[in-house]
Amino acid sequence: MHVKNTIIFTIIFLFINYNLTFAVNLNTNYEKPYVILIDLNERCLFLIKSNSKKIIKSYPIASGKNKTPSPIGTWKIIDKGAWSNAFGTRWMGLNVPWGNYGIHGTSNPSSIGTPASMGCIRMNNGDAEDLYDRVSPGTVVIIYGGAYGLQYNHFRTLSPGNTGTDVLEVQRVLKNKGYYPYNLDGIYGDCLKKSVIQYELDNHLTITHDINHELYNALNMLPFE
């Protein structure tokens, strides 16, 4: 457990002190009593005491599928709700700019421990209820899954209409290169399409709306080992 604690605290330190949120600057407030860390590789949610960095509880989760990944970055809980449906008995919504994502229970407990969701974080209903009673809106939620959000050690080919942390990272890289003078929102819309085409033209790349391996390589975005 000591090794796992060290890794978890290192991740928290990096996110808090160096803003490794894949270009999302949320002016995060860490004054709430708890921080939530979700490790997508371990498929585990850790509830951590803010002032002591002590792990209070850990819960198994289900994460997003390969084609519908969970949103990696630093977010906040913005709403809560108690209900009874396919999303289980509790909902804790996150302020992800490109879609409706949250932490919630499930009517399919056999999915816990697998990549099974449309991007939300699933929990067993009893665990979701326990977490729900402990946290409040404004609680920081750190979702970690590796460089660029690559849980699977490869990049998706992105097309207009796609959303996600990988889209956000392409926007950030193009912005740093002076090609994307727009807001970073993780949505592949017309603004990103224009920037991609201009970058391809200027760098003598194949002209396509898709963000593929040729463009990733030109942007020096390499999958992690």
Side-chain angles (χ1 to χ4, degrees), residues 153-191:
N153 198 28
H154 66 270
F155 288 114
R156 294 187 295 169
T157 296
L158 301 173
S159 300
N162 286 153
T163 60
T165 308
D166 43 5
V167 177
L168 193 71
E169 182 66 7
V170 172
Q171 290 175 336
R172 186 192 68 78
V173 172
L174 285 172
K175 192 178 192 72
N176 288 344
K177 292 179 178 293
Y179 281 87
Y180 188 77
Y182 311 104
N183 291 330
L184 303 170
D185 58 9
I187 301 171
Y188 191 170
D190 288 339
C191 293

PDB file of all heavy atoms in Angstrom, residues 153-191:
ATOM      1  N   ASN A 153      -2.548   3.198 -24.924  1.00  0.00           N
ATOM      2  CA  ASN A 153      -1.253   3.348 -25.579  1.00  0.00           C
ATOM      3  C   ASN A 153      -1.379   3.541 -27.091  1.00  0.00           C
ATOM      4  O   ASN A 153      -0.536   3.073 -27.846  1.00  0.00           O
ATOM      5  CB  ASN A 153      -0.335   2.161 -25.262  1.00  0.00           C
ATOM      6  CG  ASN A 153       1.118   2.487 -25.560  1.00  0.00           C
ATOM      7  OD1 ASN A 153       1.514   3.636 -25.500  1.00  0.00           O
ATOM      8  ND2 ASN A 153       1.899   1.477 -25.879  1.00  0.00           N
ATOM      9  N   HIS A 154      -2.410   4.191 -27.543  1.00  0.00           N
ATOM     10  CA  HIS A 154      -2.501   4.612 -28.929  1.00  0.00           C
ATOM     11  C   HIS A 154      -3.465   5.786 -29.031  1.00  0.00           C
ATOM     12  O   HIS A 154      -4.300   5.994 -28.166  1.00  0.00           O
ATOM     13  CB  HIS A 154      -2.964   3.466 -29.845  1.00  0.00           C
ATOM     14  CG  HIS A 154      -4.371   3.018 -29.587  1.00  0.00           C
ATOM     15  ND1 HIS A 154      -4.679   2.014 -28.688  1.00  0.00           N
ATOM     16  CD2 HIS A 154      -5.566   3.444 -30.111  1.00  0.00           C
ATOM     17  CE1 HIS A 154      -5.992   1.836 -28.676  1.00  0.00           C
ATOM     18  NE2 HIS A 154      -6.540   2.679 -29.519  1.00  0.00           N
ATOM     19  N   PHE A 155      -3.295   6.572 -30.074  1.00  0.00           N
ATOM     20  CA  PHE A 155      -4.167   7.708 -30.320  1.00  0.00           C
ATOM     21  C   PHE A 155      -5.362   7.285 -31.162  1.00  0.00           C
ATOM     22  O   PHE A 155      -5.228   6.462 -32.067  1.00  0.00           O
ATOM     23  CB  PHE A 155      -3.421   8.811 -31.082  1.00  0.00           C
ATOM     24  CG  PHE A 155      -2.401   9.554 -30.266  1.00  0.00           C
ATOM     25  CD1 PHE A 155      -1.062   9.462 -30.570  1.00  0.00           C
ATOM     26  CD2 PHE A 155      -2.793  10.342 -29.199  1.00  0.00           C
ATOM     27  CE1 PHE A 155      -0.117  10.153 -29.832  1.00  0.00           C
ATOM     28  CE2 PHE A 155      -1.861  11.038 -28.452  1.00  0.00           C
ATOM     29  CZ  PHE A 155      -0.520  10.945 -28.773  1.00  0.00           C
ATOM     30  N   ARG A 156      -6.488   7.890 -30.872  1.00  0.00           N
ATOM     31  CA  ARG A 156      -7.638   7.736 -31.772  1.00  0.00           C
ATOM     32  C   ARG A 156      -7.407   8.583 -33.022  1.00  0.00           C
ATOM     33  O   ARG A 156      -6.763   9.623 -32.958  1.00  0.00           O
ATOM     34  CB  ARG A 156      -8.920   8.249 -31.108  1.00  0.00           C
ATOM     35  CG  ARG A 156      -9.395   7.494 -29.926  1.00  0.00           C
ATOM     36  CD  ARG A 156     -10.774   8.024 -29.495  1.00  0.00           C
ATOM     37  NE  ARG A 156     -10.728   9.401 -29.022  1.00  0.00           N
ATOM     38  CZ  ARG A 156     -11.815  10.154 -28.802  1.00  0.00           C
ATOM     39  NH1 ARG A 156     -13.024   9.663 -29.062  1.00  0.00           N
ATOM     40  NH2 ARG A 156     -11.701  11.388 -28.339  1.00  0.00           N
ATOM     41  N   THR A 157      -7.950   8.151 -34.145  1.00  0.00           N
ATOM     42  CA  THR A 157      -8.092   9.051 -35.281  1.00  0.00           C
ATOM     43  C   THR A 157      -9.312   9.918 -35.004  1.00  0.00           C
ATOM     44  O   THR A 157     -10.411   9.401 -34.809  1.00  0.00           O
ATOM     45  CB  THR A 157      -8.279   8.273 -36.596  1.00  0.00           C
ATOM     46  OG1 THR A 157      -7.098   7.504 -36.856  1.00  0.00           O
ATOM     47  CG2 THR A 157      -8.517   9.226 -37.762  1.00  0.00           C
ATOM     48  N   LEU A 158      -9.095  11.219 -34.940  1.00  0.00           N
ATOM     49  CA  LEU A 158     -10.152  12.149 -34.565  1.00  0.00           C
ATOM     50  C   LEU A 158     -10.783  12.764 -35.806  1.00  0.00           C
ATOM     51  O   LEU A 158     -10.088  13.150 -36.745  1.00  0.00           O
ATOM     52  CB  LEU A 158      -9.595  13.254 -33.672  1.00  0.00           C
ATOM     53  CG  LEU A 158      -8.948  12.789 -32.361  1.00  0.00           C
ATOM     54  CD1 LEU A 158      -8.276  13.967 -31.662  1.00  0.00           C
ATOM     55  CD2 LEU A 158      -9.987  12.148 -31.450  1.00  0.00           C
ATOM     56  N   SER A 159     -12.096  12.883 -35.779  1.00  0.00           N
ATOM     57  CA  SER A 159     -12.850  13.490 -36.874  1.00  0.00           C
ATOM     58  C   SER A 159     -13.735  14.589 -36.307  1.00  0.00           C
ATOM     59  O   SER A 159     -14.032  14.595 -35.102  1.00  0.00           O
ATOM     60  CB  SER A 159     -13.716  12.437 -37.575  1.00  0.00           C
ATOM     61  OG  SER A 159     -12.916  11.390 -38.104  1.00  0.00           O
ATOM     62  N   PRO A 160     -14.171  15.532 -37.153  1.00  0.00           N
ATOM     63  CA  PRO A 160     -15.080  16.572 -36.674  1.00  0.00           C
ATOM     64  C   PRO A 160     -16.275  15.963 -35.951  1.00  0.00           C
ATOM     65  O   PRO A 160     -16.870  14.991 -36.407  1.00  0.00           O
ATOM     66  CB  PRO A 160     -15.499  17.281 -37.964  1.00  0.00           C
ATOM     67  CG  PRO A 160     -14.306  17.124 -38.862  1.00  0.00           C
ATOM     68  CD  PRO A 160     -13.784  15.737 -38.568  1.00  0.00           C
ATOM     69  N   GLY A 161     -16.578  16.522 -34.801  1.00  0.00           N
ATOM     70  CA  GLY A 161     -17.657  16.015 -33.959  1.00  0.00           C
ATOM     71  C   GLY A 161     -17.162  15.232 -32.763  1.00  0.00           C
ATOM     72  O   GLY A 161     -17.896  15.063 -31.789  1.00  0.00           O
ATOM     73  N   ASN A 162     -15.898  14.742 -32.821  1.00  0.00           N
ATOM     74  CA  ASN A 162     -15.343  14.019 -31.675  1.00  0.00           C
ATOM     75  C   ASN A 162     -15.094  14.972 -30.508  1.00  0.00           C
ATOM     76  O   ASN A 162     -14.851  16.168 -30.692  1.00  0.00           O
ATOM     77  CB  ASN A 162     -14.025  13.337 -32.040  1.00  0.00           C
ATOM     78  CG  ASN A 162     -14.196  12.106 -32.899  1.00  0.00           C
ATOM     79  OD1 ASN A 162     -13.320  11.749 -33.655  1.00  0.00           O
ATOM     80  ND2 ASN A 162     -15.331  11.437 -32.801  1.00  0.00           N
ATOM     81  N   THR A 163     -15.137  14.446 -29.306  1.00  0.00           N
ATOM     82  CA  THR A 163     -14.835  15.210 -28.101  1.00  0.00           C
ATOM     83  C   THR A 163     -13.905  14.378 -27.224  1.00  0.00           C
ATOM     84  O   THR A 163     -13.820  13.161 -27.360  1.00  0.00           O
ATOM     85  CB  THR A 163     -16.109  15.537 -27.315  1.00  0.00           C
ATOM     86  OG1 THR A 163     -16.754  14.305 -26.922  1.00  0.00           O
ATOM     87  CG2 THR A 163     -17.090  16.358 -28.140  1.00  0.00           C
ATOM     88  N   GLY A 164     -13.218  15.044 -26.318  1.00  0.00           N
ATOM     89  CA  GLY A 164     -12.402  14.306 -25.374  1.00  0.00           C
ATOM     90  C   GLY A 164     -11.116  15.013 -25.003  1.00  0.00           C
ATOM     91  O   GLY A 164     -10.777  16.083 -25.535  1.00  0.00           O
ATOM     92  N   THR A 165     -10.390  14.402 -24.073  1.00  0.00           N
ATOM     93  CA  THR A 165      -9.130  14.965 -23.612  1.00  0.00           C
ATOM     94  C   THR A 165      -8.095  14.990 -24.723  1.00  0.00           C
ATOM     95  O   THR A 165      -7.254  15.896 -24.780  1.00  0.00           O
ATOM     96  CB  THR A 165      -8.600  14.149 -22.424  1.00  0.00           C
ATOM     97  OG1 THR A 165      -9.628  14.029 -21.452  1.00  0.00           O
ATOM     98  CG2 THR A 165      -7.400  14.826 -21.783  1.00  0.00           C
ATOM     99  N   ASP A 166      -8.124  14.002 -25.618  1.00  0.00           N
ATOM    100  CA  ASP A 166      -7.168  13.995 -26.728  1.00  0.00           C
ATOM    101  C   ASP A 166      -7.431  15.151 -27.685  1.00  0.00           C
ATOM    102  O   ASP A 166      -6.497  15.770 -28.197  1.00  0.00           O
ATOM    103  CB  ASP A 166      -7.162  12.651 -27.460  1.00  0.00           C
ATOM    104  CG  ASP A 166      -8.547  12.070 -27.717  1.00  0.00           C
ATOM    105  OD1 ASP A 166      -9.555  12.733 -27.411  1.00  0.00           O
ATOM    106  OD2 ASP A 166      -8.616  10.921 -28.200  1.00  0.00           O
ATOM    107  N   VAL A 167      -8.712  15.478 -27.914  1.00  0.00           N
ATOM    108  CA  VAL A 167      -9.044  16.653 -28.727  1.00  0.00           C
ATOM    109  C   VAL A 167      -8.514  17.912 -28.047  1.00  0.00           C
ATOM    110  O   VAL A 167      -7.925  18.797 -28.679  1.00  0.00           O
ATOM    111  CB  VAL A 167     -10.569  16.769 -28.939  1.00  0.00           C
ATOM    112  CG1 VAL A 167     -10.905  18.037 -29.728  1.00  0.00           C
ATOM    113  CG2 VAL A 167     -11.113  15.546 -29.659  1.00  0.00           C
ATOM    114  N   LEU A 168      -8.717  17.986 -26.734  1.00  0.00           N
ATOM    115  CA  LEU A 168      -8.243  19.132 -25.954  1.00  0.00           C
ATOM    116  C   LEU A 168      -6.734  19.299 -26.061  1.00  0.00           C
ATOM    117  O   LEU A 168      -6.220  20.405 -26.200  1.00  0.00           O
ATOM    118  CB  LEU A 168      -8.651  18.935 -24.493  1.00  0.00           C
ATOM    119  CG  LEU A 168      -8.532  20.134 -23.553  1.00  0.00           C
ATOM    120  CD1 LEU A 168      -9.596  21.168 -23.873  1.00  0.00           C
ATOM    121  CD2 LEU A 168      -8.673  19.677 -22.112  1.00  0.00           C
ATOM    122  N   GLU A 169      -6.008  18.186 -26.041  1.00  0.00           N
ATOM    123  CA  GLU A 169      -4.549  18.251 -26.125  1.00  0.00           C
ATOM    124  C   GLU A 169      -4.094  18.702 -27.509  1.00  0.00           C
ATOM    125  O   GLU A 169      -3.126  19.471 -27.629  1.00  0.00           O
ATOM    126  CB  GLU A 169      -3.943  16.899 -25.781  1.00  0.00           C
ATOM    127  CG  GLU A 169      -2.427  16.867 -25.791  1.00  0.00           C
ATOM    128  CD  GLU A 169      -1.795  17.727 -24.712  1.00  0.00           C
ATOM    129  OE1 GLU A 169      -2.516  18.258 -23.847  1.00  0.00           O
ATOM    130  OE2 GLU A 169      -0.552  17.885 -24.738  1.00  0.00           O
ATOM    131  N   VAL A 170      -4.771  18.261 -28.572  1.00  0.00           N
ATOM    132  CA  VAL A 170      -4.443  18.750 -29.920  1.00  0.00           C
ATOM    133  C   VAL A 170      -4.673  20.258 -29.997  1.00  0.00           C
ATOM    134  O   VAL A 170      -3.856  20.999 -30.556  1.00  0.00           O
ATOM    135  CB  VAL A 170      -5.270  18.010 -30.994  1.00  0.00           C
ATOM    136  CG1 VAL A 170      -5.076  18.659 -32.365  1.00  0.00           C
ATOM    137  CG2 VAL A 170      -4.884  16.534 -31.064  1.00  0.00           C
ATOM    138  N   GLN A 171      -5.783  20.720 -29.433  1.00  0.00           N
ATOM    139  CA  GLN A 171      -6.046  22.162 -29.401  1.00  0.00           C
ATOM    140  C   GLN A 171      -4.922  22.901 -28.686  1.00  0.00           C
ATOM    141  O   GLN A 171      -4.452  23.950 -29.148  1.00  0.00           O
ATOM    142  CB  GLN A 171      -7.382  22.443 -28.703  1.00  0.00           C
ATOM    143  CG  GLN A 171      -8.603  22.004 -29.478  1.00  0.00           C
ATOM    144  CD  GLN A 171      -9.894  22.201 -28.687  1.00  0.00           C
ATOM    145  OE1 GLN A 171      -9.890  22.236 -27.456  1.00  0.00           O
ATOM    146  NE2 GLN A 171     -11.004  22.330 -29.396  1.00  0.00           N
ATOM    147  N   ARG A 172      -4.481  22.347 -27.546  1.00  0.00           N
ATOM    148  CA  ARG A 172      -3.436  23.002 -26.763  1.00  0.00           C
ATOM    149  C   ARG A 172      -2.127  23.083 -27.558  1.00  0.00           C
ATOM    150  O   ARG A 172      -1.467  24.133 -27.585  1.00  0.00           O
ATOM    151  CB  ARG A 172      -3.194  22.263 -25.457  1.00  0.00           C
ATOM    152  CG  ARG A 172      -2.205  22.963 -24.520  1.00  0.00           C
ATOM    153  CD  ARG A 172      -1.777  22.070 -23.380  1.00  0.00           C
ATOM    154  NE  ARG A 172      -0.958  20.962 -23.835  1.00  0.00           N
ATOM    155  CZ  ARG A 172       0.329  21.067 -24.144  1.00  0.00           C
ATOM    156  NH1 ARG A 172       0.949  22.233 -24.060  1.00  0.00           N
ATOM    157  NH2 ARG A 172       1.010  20.008 -24.552  1.00  0.00           N
ATOM    158  N   VAL A 173      -1.742  21.966 -28.205  1.00  0.00           N
ATOM    159  CA  VAL A 173      -0.485  21.945 -28.961  1.00  0.00           C
ATOM    160  C   VAL A 173      -0.554  22.926 -30.129  1.00  0.00           C
ATOM    161  O   VAL A 173       0.396  23.687 -30.379  1.00  0.00           O
ATOM    162  CB  VAL A 173      -0.187  20.517 -29.451  1.00  0.00           C
ATOM    163  CG1 VAL A 173       1.011  20.516 -30.392  1.00  0.00           C
ATOM    164  CG2 VAL A 173       0.083  19.592 -28.265  1.00  0.00           C
ATOM    165  N   LEU A 174      -1.679  22.932 -30.852  1.00  0.00           N
ATOM    166  CA  LEU A 174      -1.830  23.870 -31.960  1.00  0.00           C
ATOM    167  C   LEU A 174      -1.849  25.311 -31.472  1.00  0.00           C
ATOM    168  O   LEU A 174      -1.324  26.212 -32.139  1.00  0.00           O
ATOM    169  CB  LEU A 174      -3.108  23.555 -32.742  1.00  0.00           C
ATOM    170  CG  LEU A 174      -3.045  22.314 -33.645  1.00  0.00           C
ATOM    171  CD1 LEU A 174      -4.432  21.994 -34.202  1.00  0.00           C
ATOM    172  CD2 LEU A 174      -2.056  22.516 -34.793  1.00  0.00           C
ATOM    173  N   LYS A 175      -2.442  25.549 -30.315  1.00  0.00           N
ATOM    174  CA  LYS A 175      -2.457  26.898 -29.748  1.00  0.00           C
ATOM    175  C   LYS A 175      -1.043  27.364 -29.428  1.00  0.00           C
ATOM    176  O   LYS A 175      -0.660  28.500 -29.715  1.00  0.00           O
ATOM    177  CB  LYS A 175      -3.322  26.927 -28.490  1.00  0.00           C
ATOM    178  CG  LYS A 175      -3.649  28.339 -27.965  1.00  0.00           C
ATOM    179  CD  LYS A 175      -4.539  28.271 -26.749  1.00  0.00           C
ATOM    180  CE  LYS A 175      -5.102  29.630 -26.390  1.00  0.00           C
ATOM    181  NZ  LYS A 175      -6.128  30.097 -27.339  1.00  0.00           N
ATOM    182  N   ASN A 176      -0.233  26.463 -28.842  1.00  0.00           N
ATOM    183  CA  ASN A 176       1.159  26.806 -28.526  1.00  0.00           C
ATOM    184  C   ASN A 176       1.971  27.104 -29.776  1.00  0.00           C
ATOM    185  O   ASN A 176       2.947  27.853 -29.721  1.00  0.00           O
ATOM    186  CB  ASN A 176       1.814  25.671 -27.742  1.00  0.00           C
ATOM    187  CG  ASN A 176       1.298  25.585 -26.317  1.00  0.00           C
ATOM    188  OD1 ASN A 176       0.690  26.518 -25.804  1.00  0.00           O
ATOM    189  ND2 ASN A 176       1.538  24.451 -25.670  1.00  0.00           N
ATOM    190  N   LYS A 177       1.564  26.519 -30.900  1.00  0.00           N
ATOM    191  CA  LYS A 177       2.256  26.750 -32.164  1.00  0.00           C
ATOM    192  C   LYS A 177       1.666  27.939 -32.927  1.00  0.00           C
ATOM    193  O   LYS A 177       2.115  28.258 -34.033  1.00  0.00           O
ATOM    194  CB  LYS A 177       2.192  25.492 -33.039  1.00  0.00           C
ATOM    195  CG  LYS A 177       2.991  24.317 -32.480  1.00  0.00           C
ATOM    196  CD  LYS A 177       2.868  23.088 -33.380  1.00  0.00           C
ATOM    197  CE  LYS A 177       3.706  21.929 -32.834  1.00  0.00           C
ATOM    198  NZ  LYS A 177       5.153  22.215 -32.906  1.00  0.00           N
ATOM    199  N   GLY A 178       0.654  28.585 -32.354  1.00  0.00           N
ATOM    200  CA  GLY A 178       0.061  29.770 -32.973  1.00  0.00           C
ATOM    201  C   GLY A 178      -1.014  29.492 -33.993  1.00  0.00           C
ATOM    202  O   GLY A 178      -1.407  30.396 -34.748  1.00  0.00           O
ATOM    203  N   TYR A 179      -1.552  28.267 -33.999  1.00  0.00           N
ATOM    204  CA  TYR A 179      -2.538  27.890 -35.009  1.00  0.00           C
ATOM    205  C   TYR A 179      -3.963  27.822 -34.466  1.00  0.00           C
ATOM    206  O   TYR A 179      -4.887  27.617 -35.245  1.00  0.00           O
ATOM    207  CB  TYR A 179      -2.174  26.525 -35.610  1.00  0.00           C
ATOM    208  CG  TYR A 179      -1.077  26.592 -36.637  1.00  0.00           C
ATOM    209  CD1 TYR A 179       0.259  26.519 -36.260  1.00  0.00           C
ATOM    210  CD2 TYR A 179      -1.364  26.739 -37.992  1.00  0.00           C
ATOM    211  CE1 TYR A 179       1.277  26.578 -37.193  1.00  0.00           C
ATOM    212  CE2 TYR A 179      -0.351  26.801 -38.940  1.00  0.00           C
ATOM    213  CZ  TYR A 179       0.959  26.726 -38.531  1.00  0.00           C
ATOM    214  OH  TYR A 179       1.969  26.794 -39.464  1.00  0.00           O
ATOM    215  N   TYR A 180      -4.157  27.952 -33.178  1.00  0.00           N
ATOM    216  CA  TYR A 180      -5.504  27.776 -32.621  1.00  0.00           C
ATOM    217  C   TYR A 180      -5.798  28.921 -31.636  1.00  0.00           C
ATOM    218  O   TYR A 180      -5.625  28.778 -30.426  1.00  0.00           O
ATOM    219  CB  TYR A 180      -5.621  26.427 -31.923  1.00  0.00           C
ATOM    220  CG  TYR A 180      -7.041  26.084 -31.497  1.00  0.00           C
ATOM    221  CD1 TYR A 180      -7.986  25.642 -32.424  1.00  0.00           C
ATOM    222  CD2 TYR A 180      -7.445  26.219 -30.169  1.00  0.00           C
ATOM    223  CE1 TYR A 180      -9.278  25.346 -32.038  1.00  0.00           C
ATOM    224  CE2 TYR A 180      -8.736  25.928 -29.774  1.00  0.00           C
ATOM    225  CZ  TYR A 180      -9.642  25.493 -30.710  1.00  0.00           C
ATOM    226  OH  TYR A 180     -10.931  25.202 -30.326  1.00  0.00           O
ATOM    227  N   PRO A 181      -6.267  30.069 -32.151  1.00  0.00           N
ATOM    228  CA  PRO A 181      -6.512  31.234 -31.290  1.00  0.00           C
ATOM    229  C   PRO A 181      -7.916  31.233 -30.678  1.00  0.00           C
ATOM    230  O   PRO A 181      -8.575  32.283 -30.618  1.00  0.00           O
ATOM    231  CB  PRO A 181      -6.341  32.400 -32.264  1.00  0.00           C
ATOM    232  CG  PRO A 181      -6.855  31.854 -33.564  1.00  0.00           C
ATOM    233  CD  PRO A 181      -6.447  30.385 -33.578  1.00  0.00           C
ATOM    234  N   TYR A 182      -8.367  30.083 -30.249  1.00  0.00           N
ATOM    235  CA  TYR A 182      -9.736  29.955 -29.749  1.00  0.00           C
ATOM    236  C   TYR A 182      -9.718  29.334 -28.349  1.00  0.00           C
ATOM    237  O   TYR A 182      -8.674  28.945 -27.830  1.00  0.00           O
ATOM    238  CB  TYR A 182     -10.576  29.075 -30.697  1.00  0.00           C
ATOM    239  CG  TYR A 182     -10.479  29.456 -32.143  1.00  0.00           C
ATOM    240  CD1 TYR A 182      -9.704  28.699 -33.034  1.00  0.00           C
ATOM    241  CD2 TYR A 182     -11.146  30.571 -32.642  1.00  0.00           C
ATOM    242  CE1 TYR A 182      -9.603  29.042 -34.368  1.00  0.00           C
ATOM    243  CE2 TYR A 182     -11.045  30.925 -33.985  1.00  0.00           C
ATOM    244  CZ  TYR A 182     -10.275  30.157 -34.843  1.00  0.00           C
ATOM    245  OH  TYR A 182     -10.171  30.504 -36.161  1.00  0.00           O
ATOM    246  N   ASN A 183     -10.892  29.244 -27.744  1.00  0.00           N
ATOM    247  CA  ASN A 183     -11.000  28.631 -26.428  1.00  0.00           C
ATOM    248  C   ASN A 183     -10.738  27.136 -26.505  1.00  0.00           C
ATOM    249  O   ASN A 183     -11.116  26.462 -27.472  1.00  0.00           O
ATOM    250  CB  ASN A 183     -12.391  28.869 -25.839  1.00  0.00           C
ATOM    251  CG  ASN A 183     -12.644  30.316 -25.485  1.00  0.00           C
ATOM    252  OD1 ASN A 183     -11.707  31.044 -25.148  1.00  0.00           O
ATOM    253  ND2 ASN A 183     -13.890  30.746 -25.545  1.00  0.00           N
ATOM    254  N   LEU A 184     -10.108  26.603 -25.472  1.00  0.00           N
ATOM    255  CA  LEU A 184      -9.854  25.166 -25.369  1.00  0.00           C
ATOM    256  C   LEU A 184     -11.074  24.512 -24.740  1.00  0.00           C
ATOM    257  O   LEU A 184     -11.393  24.767 -23.583  1.00  0.00           O
ATOM    258  CB  LEU A 184      -8.619  24.916 -24.507  1.00  0.00           C
ATOM    259  CG  LEU A 184      -7.333  25.603 -24.980  1.00  0.00           C
ATOM    260  CD1 LEU A 184      -6.247  25.472 -23.924  1.00  0.00           C
ATOM    261  CD2 LEU A 184      -6.866  25.029 -26.301  1.00  0.00           C
ATOM    262  N   ASP A 185     -11.763  23.677 -25.532  1.00  0.00           N
ATOM    263  CA  ASP A 185     -13.012  23.093 -25.015  1.00  0.00           C
ATOM    264  C   ASP A 185     -13.120  21.592 -25.232  1.00  0.00           C
ATOM    265  O   ASP A 185     -14.092  20.965 -24.818  1.00  0.00           O
ATOM    266  CB  ASP A 185     -14.228  23.784 -25.632  1.00  0.00           C
ATOM    267  CG  ASP A 185     -14.264  23.702 -27.162  1.00  0.00           C
ATOM    268  OD1 ASP A 185     -13.440  22.976 -27.753  1.00  0.00           O
ATOM    269  OD2 ASP A 185     -15.126  24.373 -27.761  1.00  0.00           O
ATOM    270  N   GLY A 186     -12.131  20.976 -25.894  1.00  0.00           N
ATOM    271  CA  GLY A 186     -12.179  19.537 -26.110  1.00  0.00           C
ATOM    272  C   GLY A 186     -13.189  19.088 -27.147  1.00  0.00           C
ATOM    273  O   GLY A 186     -13.521  17.908 -27.216  1.00  0.00           O
ATOM    274  N   ILE A 187     -13.665  20.016 -27.981  1.00  0.00           N
ATOM    275  CA  ILE A 187     -14.662  19.705 -29.007  1.00  0.00           C
ATOM    276  C   ILE A 187     -14.039  19.930 -30.388  1.00  0.00           C
ATOM    277  O   ILE A 187     -13.512  21.005 -30.671  1.00  0.00           O
ATOM    278  CB  ILE A 187     -15.915  20.592 -28.856  1.00  0.00           C
ATOM    279  CG1 ILE A 187     -16.542  20.395 -27.476  1.00  0.00           C
ATOM    280  CG2 ILE A 187     -16.928  20.300 -29.963  1.00  0.00           C
ATOM    281  CD1 ILE A 187     -17.651  21.400 -27.170  1.00  0.00           C
ATOM    282  N   TYR A 188     -14.121  18.922 -31.248  1.00  0.00           N
ATOM    283  CA  TYR A 188     -13.600  19.074 -32.604  1.00  0.00           C
ATOM    284  C   TYR A 188     -14.690  19.716 -33.469  1.00  0.00           C
ATOM    285  O   TYR A 188     -15.484  19.031 -34.100  1.00  0.00           O
ATOM    286  CB  TYR A 188     -13.173  17.725 -33.170  1.00  0.00           C
ATOM    287  CG  TYR A 188     -12.380  17.819 -34.471  1.00  0.00           C
ATOM    288  CD1 TYR A 188     -11.749  16.700 -34.991  1.00  0.00           C
ATOM    289  CD2 TYR A 188     -12.250  19.015 -35.174  1.00  0.00           C
ATOM    290  CE1 TYR A 188     -11.022  16.757 -36.173  1.00  0.00           C
ATOM    291  CE2 TYR A 188     -11.540  19.098 -36.345  1.00  0.00           C
ATOM    292  CZ  TYR A 188     -10.927  17.963 -36.844  1.00  0.00           C
ATOM    293  OH  TYR A 188     -10.208  18.053 -38.018  1.00  0.00           O
ATOM    294  N   GLY A 189     -14.682  21.042 -33.479  1.00  0.00           N
ATOM    295  CA  GLY A 189     -15.644  21.796 -34.270  1.00  0.00           C
ATOM    296  C   GLY A 189     -14.971  22.508 -35.435  1.00  0.00           C
ATOM    297  O   GLY A 189     -13.834  22.212 -35.813  1.00  0.00           O
ATOM    298  N   ASP A 190     -15.677  23.490 -36.000  1.00  0.00           N
ATOM    299  CA  ASP A 190     -15.178  24.179 -37.186  1.00  0.00           C
ATOM    300  C   ASP A 190     -13.868  24.927 -36.925  1.00  0.00           C
ATOM    301  O   ASP A 190     -13.015  25.010 -37.808  1.00  0.00           O
ATOM    302  CB  ASP A 190     -16.237  25.154 -37.699  1.00  0.00           C
ATOM    303  CG  ASP A 190     -17.420  24.455 -38.352  1.00  0.00           C
ATOM    304  OD1 ASP A 190     -17.251  23.289 -38.765  1.00  0.00           O
ATOM    305  OD2 ASP A 190     -18.505  25.064 -38.433  1.00  0.00           O
ATOM    306  N   CYS A 191     -13.717  25.487 -35.717  1.00  0.00           N
ATOM    307  CA  CYS A 191     -12.489  26.239 -35.417  1.00  0.00           C
ATOM    308  C   CYS A 191     -11.267  25.331 -35.452  1.00  0.00           C
ATOM    309  O   CYS A 191     -10.238  25.686 -36.035  1.00  0.00           O
ATOM    310  CB  CYS A 191     -12.611  26.911 -34.045  1.00  0.00           C
ATOM    311  SG  CYS A 191     -13.845  28.228 -33.975  1.00  0.00           S
TER     312      CYS A 191
END
